[in-house]
Amino acid sequence: ASNYLDLQAEIADYLGRSDLEEHIPLFIRLAEARMNRELRLKLMERPAPADLRPGEAVTSLPDRRKAGNWDVFLEMRDLRLNGGLVKNLDYVSLDSLPEPQTVGRPVAYSIRGRELVMTPTPDAGYRLLLTYYAEIPPLSGAQTSNDILLRSPDLYLYGALAASAAYTRSSIPLDLWEREYIKAAAGLAESDNHGRFTANIALRPLRSV
């Protein structure tokens, strides 16, 4: 399946129970929630550069929930600050942040809800170079496909089938579907890592001989 309707039809065929068809969108949402918890793929990475003004230590993280244009922050991958020199910012817990009166070049950050909090408070204008993992755009009538479904339709299929267990009362081969989901997730992660590795090689300058 490469789209939402075909995926629902395939899940219905595997379940073989007409009384569960109305719950199939729920099974897909549960599979997506699981994938958001477990997967960290290059396909899920997003860049989000932002300008910091002096005295502003807090900036909003991406949180756009619109079908077809979904962009919701899930987890930080990399955060750098460009202000003459490009340096990575270190993560600290909210409890470890110093008093907000501290002013200088930011060296660390924390996350508070949907906000990025930096310390010290910027003493000048800086450019944030943020790379993060975004939620998988959820499938719906308005968002009929996404990169994960196109790359690994079996992951969606077996994830939704495994999620149906609470409704099927063990009348299905749950162990099989769970194994197939894990296999599909591992295969996608391996392919993703290989793509990241080969891309890095391609970007390396050739040495002269």
PDB file of all heavy atoms in Angstrom, residues 22 25 27 29 43 52 65 68 71 78 81 105 128 144 147 157 160-161 178-179 181 189-190 198-199 205:
ATOM      1  N   GLU A  22     -14.262  -0.523  11.256  1.00  0.00           N
ATOM      2  CA  GLU A  22     -14.414   0.855  11.718  1.00  0.00           C
ATOM      3  C   GLU A  22     -13.287   1.283  12.656  1.00  0.00           C
ATOM      4  O   GLU A  22     -13.062   2.471  12.875  1.00  0.00           O
ATOM      5  CB  GLU A  22     -15.754   1.034  12.423  1.00  0.00           C
ATOM      6  CG  GLU A  22     -15.892   0.203  13.706  1.00  0.00           C
ATOM      7  CD  GLU A  22     -17.222   0.436  14.393  1.00  0.00           C
ATOM      8  OE1 GLU A  22     -17.547   1.610  14.680  1.00  0.00           O
ATOM      9  OE2 GLU A  22     -17.937  -0.557  14.623  1.00  0.00           O
ATOM     10  N   PRO A  25      -8.729   2.890  11.346  1.00  0.00           N
ATOM     11  CA  PRO A  25      -8.018   4.175  11.507  1.00  0.00           C
ATOM     12  C   PRO A  25      -7.374   4.324  12.884  1.00  0.00           C
ATOM     13  O   PRO A  25      -6.277   4.893  12.997  1.00  0.00           O
ATOM     14  CB  PRO A  25      -9.125   5.217  11.290  1.00  0.00           C
ATOM     15  CG  PRO A  25     -10.103   4.531  10.378  1.00  0.00           C
ATOM     16  CD  PRO A  25     -10.114   3.098  10.844  1.00  0.00           C
ATOM     17  N   PHE A  27      -6.212   1.783  14.717  1.00  0.00           N
ATOM     18  CA  PHE A  27      -5.033   0.919  14.715  1.00  0.00           C
ATOM     19  C   PHE A  27      -3.854   1.618  14.026  1.00  0.00           C
ATOM     20  O   PHE A  27      -2.706   1.493  14.465  1.00  0.00           O
ATOM     21  CB  PHE A  27      -5.330  -0.406  14.007  1.00  0.00           C
ATOM     22  CG  PHE A  27      -6.468  -1.192  14.613  1.00  0.00           C
ATOM     23  CD1 PHE A  27      -7.206  -2.081  13.841  1.00  0.00           C
ATOM     24  CD2 PHE A  27      -6.797  -1.051  15.954  1.00  0.00           C
ATOM     25  CE1 PHE A  27      -8.246  -2.816  14.395  1.00  0.00           C
ATOM     26  CE2 PHE A  27      -7.833  -1.779  16.520  1.00  0.00           C
ATOM     27  CZ  PHE A  27      -8.569  -2.656  15.731  1.00  0.00           C
ATOM     28  N   ARG A  29      -3.395   4.907  13.831  1.00  0.00           N
ATOM     29  CA  ARG A  29      -2.917   5.976  14.730  1.00  0.00           C
ATOM     30  C   ARG A  29      -2.057   5.400  15.857  1.00  0.00           C
ATOM     31  O   ARG A  29      -1.044   5.999  16.252  1.00  0.00           O
ATOM     32  CB  ARG A  29      -4.104   6.754  15.309  1.00  0.00           C
ATOM     33  CG  ARG A  29      -4.841   7.597  14.286  1.00  0.00           C
ATOM     34  CD  ARG A  29      -5.714   8.641  14.956  1.00  0.00           C
ATOM     35  NE  ARG A  29      -6.718   8.072  15.834  1.00  0.00           N
ATOM     36  CZ  ARG A  29      -7.924   7.677  15.441  1.00  0.00           C
ATOM     37  NH1 ARG A  29      -8.260   7.773  14.155  1.00  0.00           N
ATOM     38  NH2 ARG A  29      -8.799   7.186  16.304  1.00  0.00           N
ATOM     39  N   LEU A  43      14.825  10.149   7.713  1.00  0.00           N
ATOM     40  CA  LEU A  43      13.570  10.590   7.109  1.00  0.00           C
ATOM     41  C   LEU A  43      12.778  11.522   8.029  1.00  0.00           C
ATOM     42  O   LEU A  43      11.936  12.285   7.562  1.00  0.00           O
ATOM     43  CB  LEU A  43      12.695   9.381   6.767  1.00  0.00           C
ATOM     44  CG  LEU A  43      13.124   8.501   5.594  1.00  0.00           C
ATOM     45  CD1 LEU A  43      12.249   7.260   5.539  1.00  0.00           C
ATOM     46  CD2 LEU A  43      13.030   9.264   4.296  1.00  0.00           C
ATOM     47  N   LEU A  52      18.034  34.697  16.887  1.00  0.00           N
ATOM     48  CA  LEU A  52      17.841  35.092  18.283  1.00  0.00           C
ATOM     49  C   LEU A  52      18.168  36.566  18.435  1.00  0.00           C
ATOM     50  O   LEU A  52      19.196  37.036  17.928  1.00  0.00           O
ATOM     51  CB  LEU A  52      18.749  34.280  19.205  1.00  0.00           C
ATOM     52  CG  LEU A  52      18.470  32.793  19.376  1.00  0.00           C
ATOM     53  CD1 LEU A  52      19.519  32.186  20.293  1.00  0.00           C
ATOM     54  CD2 LEU A  52      17.082  32.559  19.944  1.00  0.00           C
ATOM     55  N   ARG A  65       0.433  21.557  13.232  1.00  0.00           N
ATOM     56  CA  ARG A  65      -0.382  20.342  13.113  1.00  0.00           C
ATOM     57  C   ARG A  65      -1.456  20.539  12.043  1.00  0.00           C
ATOM     58  O   ARG A  65      -2.635  20.732  12.330  1.00  0.00           O
ATOM     59  CB  ARG A  65      -1.024  20.013  14.474  1.00  0.00           C
ATOM     60  CG  ARG A  65       0.002  19.807  15.577  1.00  0.00           C
ATOM     61  CD  ARG A  65      -0.621  19.743  16.957  1.00  0.00           C
ATOM     62  NE  ARG A  65       0.388  19.693  17.993  1.00  0.00           N
ATOM     63  CZ  ARG A  65       0.939  18.573  18.474  1.00  0.00           C
ATOM     64  NH1 ARG A  65       0.533  17.404  18.011  1.00  0.00           N
ATOM     65  NH2 ARG A  65       1.868  18.635  19.409  1.00  0.00           N
ATOM     66  N   GLY A  68      -0.997  17.517   5.597  1.00  0.00           N
ATOM     67  CA  GLY A  68      -0.314  17.902   4.376  1.00  0.00           C
ATOM     68  C   GLY A  68       0.829  18.864   4.621  1.00  0.00           C
ATOM     69  O   GLY A  68       1.647  19.096   3.732  1.00  0.00           O
ATOM     70  N   ASP A  71       4.423  19.489  10.948  1.00  0.00           N
ATOM     71  CA  ASP A  71       5.792  19.730  11.401  1.00  0.00           C
ATOM     72  C   ASP A  71       5.782  19.907  12.913  1.00  0.00           C
ATOM     73  O   ASP A  71       5.641  21.017  13.415  1.00  0.00           O
ATOM     74  CB  ASP A  71       6.379  20.967  10.724  1.00  0.00           C
ATOM     75  CG  ASP A  71       7.860  21.156  11.032  1.00  0.00           C
ATOM     76  OD1 ASP A  71       8.482  20.209  11.550  1.00  0.00           O
ATOM     77  OD2 ASP A  71       8.391  22.247  10.756  1.00  0.00           O
ATOM     78  N   ASP A  78      20.473  17.954  16.947  1.00  0.00           N
ATOM     79  CA  ASP A  78      21.674  18.782  16.976  1.00  0.00           C
ATOM     80  C   ASP A  78      21.254  20.245  17.115  1.00  0.00           C
ATOM     81  O   ASP A  78      20.277  20.675  16.502  1.00  0.00           O
ATOM     82  CB  ASP A  78      22.473  18.581  15.679  1.00  0.00           C
ATOM     83  CG  ASP A  78      23.769  19.369  15.679  1.00  0.00           C
ATOM     84  OD1 ASP A  78      24.628  19.086  16.538  1.00  0.00           O
ATOM     85  OD2 ASP A  78      23.921  20.271  14.839  1.00  0.00           O
ATOM     86  N   LEU A  81      25.045  27.126  17.490  1.00  0.00           N
ATOM     87  CA  LEU A  81      24.879  28.573  17.542  1.00  0.00           C
ATOM     88  C   LEU A  81      25.922  29.203  16.641  1.00  0.00           C
ATOM     89  O   LEU A  81      27.115  28.918  16.759  1.00  0.00           O
ATOM     90  CB  LEU A  81      25.046  29.073  18.979  1.00  0.00           C
ATOM     91  CG  LEU A  81      24.602  30.514  19.250  1.00  0.00           C
ATOM     92  CD1 LEU A  81      23.084  30.625  19.171  1.00  0.00           C
ATOM     93  CD2 LEU A  81      25.088  30.968  20.622  1.00  0.00           C
ATOM     94  N   ARG A 105      27.020  34.788  25.680  1.00  0.00           N
ATOM     95  CA  ARG A 105      26.807  33.915  24.525  1.00  0.00           C
ATOM     96  C   ARG A 105      26.235  32.596  25.018  1.00  0.00           C
ATOM     97  O   ARG A 105      26.835  31.930  25.872  1.00  0.00           O
ATOM     98  CB  ARG A 105      28.129  33.659  23.806  1.00  0.00           C
ATOM     99  CG  ARG A 105      27.992  32.746  22.591  1.00  0.00           C
ATOM    100  CD  ARG A 105      29.358  32.349  22.055  1.00  0.00           C
ATOM    101  NE  ARG A 105      29.207  31.367  20.987  1.00  0.00           N
ATOM    102  CZ  ARG A 105      29.221  31.638  19.694  1.00  0.00           C
ATOM    103  NH1 ARG A 105      29.408  32.892  19.292  1.00  0.00           N
ATOM    104  NH2 ARG A 105      29.063  30.680  18.800  1.00  0.00           N
ATOM    105  N   LEU A 128      20.488  30.462  15.315  1.00  0.00           N
ATOM    106  CA  LEU A 128      20.372  29.084  15.787  1.00  0.00           C
ATOM    107  C   LEU A 128      20.292  28.140  14.597  1.00  0.00           C
ATOM    108  O   LEU A 128      19.520  28.366  13.662  1.00  0.00           O
ATOM    109  CB  LEU A 128      19.104  28.912  16.627  1.00  0.00           C
ATOM    110  CG  LEU A 128      19.167  29.125  18.135  1.00  0.00           C
ATOM    111  CD1 LEU A 128      17.794  28.853  18.727  1.00  0.00           C
ATOM    112  CD2 LEU A 128      20.206  28.245  18.793  1.00  0.00           C
ATOM    113  N   THR A 144      -2.738  11.596   2.654  1.00  0.00           N
ATOM    114  CA  THR A 144      -2.953  10.213   2.216  1.00  0.00           C
ATOM    115  C   THR A 144      -1.690   9.371   2.182  1.00  0.00           C
ATOM    116  O   THR A 144      -1.773   8.146   2.050  1.00  0.00           O
ATOM    117  CB  THR A 144      -3.604  10.193   0.826  1.00  0.00           C
ATOM    118  OG1 THR A 144      -2.742  10.867  -0.107  1.00  0.00           O
ATOM    119  CG2 THR A 144      -4.960  10.898   0.864  1.00  0.00           C
ATOM    120  N   ASP A 147       6.483   9.760   3.926  1.00  0.00           N
ATOM    121  CA  ASP A 147       7.737   9.107   3.539  1.00  0.00           C
ATOM    122  C   ASP A 147       7.877   7.712   4.140  1.00  0.00           C
ATOM    123  O   ASP A 147       8.433   6.804   3.502  1.00  0.00           O
ATOM    124  CB  ASP A 147       8.929   9.962   3.976  1.00  0.00           C
ATOM    125  CG  ASP A 147       9.075  11.227   3.142  1.00  0.00           C
ATOM    126  OD1 ASP A 147       8.533  11.261   2.025  1.00  0.00           O
ATOM    127  OD2 ASP A 147       9.738  12.178   3.613  1.00  0.00           O
ATOM    128  N   LEU A 157       1.717  -1.667   7.990  1.00  0.00           N
ATOM    129  CA  LEU A 157       0.772  -2.786   8.000  1.00  0.00           C
ATOM    130  C   LEU A 157       0.887  -3.586   9.286  1.00  0.00           C
ATOM    131  O   LEU A 157      -0.118  -3.784  10.000  1.00  0.00           O
ATOM    132  CB  LEU A 157       1.032  -3.681   6.791  1.00  0.00           C
ATOM    133  CG  LEU A 157       0.243  -4.994   6.739  1.00  0.00           C
ATOM    134  CD1 LEU A 157      -1.248  -4.735   6.636  1.00  0.00           C
ATOM    135  CD2 LEU A 157       0.728  -5.861   5.572  1.00  0.00           C
ATOM    136  N   ALA A 160      -0.019  -1.658  12.556  1.00  0.00           N
ATOM    137  CA  ALA A 160      -1.457  -1.534  12.781  1.00  0.00           C
ATOM    138  C   ALA A 160      -2.064  -2.873  13.191  1.00  0.00           C
ATOM    139  O   ALA A 160      -2.939  -2.936  14.069  1.00  0.00           O
ATOM    140  CB  ALA A 160      -2.137  -1.007  11.515  1.00  0.00           C
ATOM    141  N   LEU A 161      -1.609  -3.954  12.574  1.00  0.00           N
ATOM    142  CA  LEU A 161      -2.130  -5.276  12.937  1.00  0.00           C
ATOM    143  C   LEU A 161      -1.778  -5.622  14.381  1.00  0.00           C
ATOM    144  O   LEU A 161      -2.607  -6.161  15.123  1.00  0.00           O
ATOM    145  CB  LEU A 161      -1.575  -6.327  11.983  1.00  0.00           C
ATOM    146  CG  LEU A 161      -2.102  -6.281  10.544  1.00  0.00           C
ATOM    147  CD1 LEU A 161      -1.316  -7.238   9.654  1.00  0.00           C
ATOM    148  CD2 LEU A 161      -3.590  -6.592  10.491  1.00  0.00           C
ATOM    149  N   GLU A 178       3.891  -9.045  15.394  1.00  0.00           N
ATOM    150  CA  GLU A 178       4.864  -8.293  16.183  1.00  0.00           C
ATOM    151  C   GLU A 178       6.280  -8.541  15.650  1.00  0.00           C
ATOM    152  O   GLU A 178       7.074  -7.612  15.531  1.00  0.00           O
ATOM    153  CB  GLU A 178       4.766  -8.692  17.657  1.00  0.00           C
ATOM    154  CG  GLU A 178       5.726  -7.953  18.582  1.00  0.00           C
ATOM    155  CD  GLU A 178       5.419  -6.478  18.729  1.00  0.00           C
ATOM    156  OE1 GLU A 178       4.300  -6.054  18.369  1.00  0.00           O
ATOM    157  OE2 GLU A 178       6.305  -5.745  19.198  1.00  0.00           O
ATOM    158  N   ARG A 179       6.600  -9.785  15.343  1.00  0.00           N
ATOM    159  CA  ARG A 179       7.922 -10.094  14.785  1.00  0.00           C
ATOM    160  C   ARG A 179       8.131  -9.400  13.444  1.00  0.00           C
ATOM    161  O   ARG A 179       9.219  -8.884  13.158  1.00  0.00           O
ATOM    162  CB  ARG A 179       8.095 -11.607  14.631  1.00  0.00           C
ATOM    163  CG  ARG A 179       8.274 -12.365  15.933  1.00  0.00           C
ATOM    164  CD  ARG A 179       8.851 -13.759  15.673  1.00  0.00           C
ATOM    165  NE  ARG A 179       8.025 -14.544  14.771  1.00  0.00           N
ATOM    166  CZ  ARG A 179       7.016 -15.326  15.154  1.00  0.00           C
ATOM    167  NH1 ARG A 179       6.700 -15.421  16.439  1.00  0.00           N
ATOM    168  NH2 ARG A 179       6.331 -16.030  14.276  1.00  0.00           N
ATOM    169  N   TYR A 181       6.689  -6.663  12.415  1.00  0.00           N
ATOM    170  CA  TYR A 181       6.853  -5.223  12.663  1.00  0.00           C
ATOM    171  C   TYR A 181       8.297  -4.926  13.069  1.00  0.00           C
ATOM    172  O   TYR A 181       8.926  -3.996  12.555  1.00  0.00           O
ATOM    173  CB  TYR A 181       5.889  -4.744  13.749  1.00  0.00           C
ATOM    174  CG  TYR A 181       6.210  -3.336  14.220  1.00  0.00           C
ATOM    175  CD1 TYR A 181       5.712  -2.226  13.528  1.00  0.00           C
ATOM    176  CD2 TYR A 181       7.027  -3.113  15.335  1.00  0.00           C
ATOM    177  CE1 TYR A 181       6.027  -0.940  13.934  1.00  0.00           C
ATOM    178  CE2 TYR A 181       7.345  -1.825  15.738  1.00  0.00           C
ATOM    179  CZ  TYR A 181       6.841  -0.747  15.039  1.00  0.00           C
ATOM    180  OH  TYR A 181       7.161   0.536  15.438  1.00  0.00           O
ATOM    181  N   ALA A 189      15.613   0.987   9.595  1.00  0.00           N
ATOM    182  CA  ALA A 189      16.698   1.671  10.315  1.00  0.00           C
ATOM    183  C   ALA A 189      18.045   1.369   9.667  1.00  0.00           C
ATOM    184  O   ALA A 189      18.890   2.258   9.530  1.00  0.00           O
ATOM    185  CB  ALA A 189      16.705   1.244  11.774  1.00  0.00           C
ATOM    186  N   GLU A 190      18.252   0.119   9.266  1.00  0.00           N
ATOM    187  CA  GLU A 190      19.515  -0.253   8.618  1.00  0.00           C
ATOM    188  C   GLU A 190      19.678   0.479   7.295  1.00  0.00           C
ATOM    189  O   GLU A 190      20.759   0.999   6.981  1.00  0.00           O
ATOM    190  CB  GLU A 190      19.558  -1.763   8.398  1.00  0.00           C
ATOM    191  CG  GLU A 190      20.845  -2.248   7.754  1.00  0.00           C
ATOM    192  CD  GLU A 190      20.870  -3.756   7.573  1.00  0.00           C
ATOM    193  OE1 GLU A 190      19.901  -4.417   7.969  1.00  0.00           O
ATOM    194  OE2 GLU A 190      21.871  -4.259   7.029  1.00  0.00           O
ATOM    195  N   THR A 198      26.652   6.585   3.512  1.00  0.00           N
ATOM    196  CA  THR A 198      27.127   6.797   2.148  1.00  0.00           C
ATOM    197  C   THR A 198      27.040   8.262   1.757  1.00  0.00           C
ATOM    198  O   THR A 198      27.857   8.753   0.997  1.00  0.00           O
ATOM    199  CB  THR A 198      26.321   5.942   1.152  1.00  0.00           C
ATOM    200  OG1 THR A 198      24.921   6.191   1.326  1.00  0.00           O
ATOM    201  CG2 THR A 198      26.597   4.468   1.364  1.00  0.00           C
ATOM    202  N   ALA A 199      26.054   8.975   2.294  1.00  0.00           N
ATOM    203  CA  ALA A 199      25.953  10.408   2.010  1.00  0.00           C
ATOM    204  C   ALA A 199      27.146  11.143   2.596  1.00  0.00           C
ATOM    205  O   ALA A 199      27.709  12.057   1.986  1.00  0.00           O
ATOM    206  CB  ALA A 199      24.649  10.974   2.572  1.00  0.00           C
ATOM    207  N   PRO A 205      35.872  15.483   0.708  1.00  0.00           N
ATOM    208  CA  PRO A 205      36.719  15.880  -0.428  1.00  0.00           C
ATOM    209  C   PRO A 205      37.709  14.786  -0.765  1.00  0.00           C
ATOM    210  O   PRO A 205      38.215  14.070   0.114  1.00  0.00           O
ATOM    211  CB  PRO A 205      37.415  17.138   0.093  1.00  0.00           C
ATOM    212  CG  PRO A 205      37.417  16.984   1.579  1.00  0.00           C
ATOM    213  CD  PRO A 205      36.136  16.261   1.916  1.00  0.00           C
TER     214      PRO A 205
END
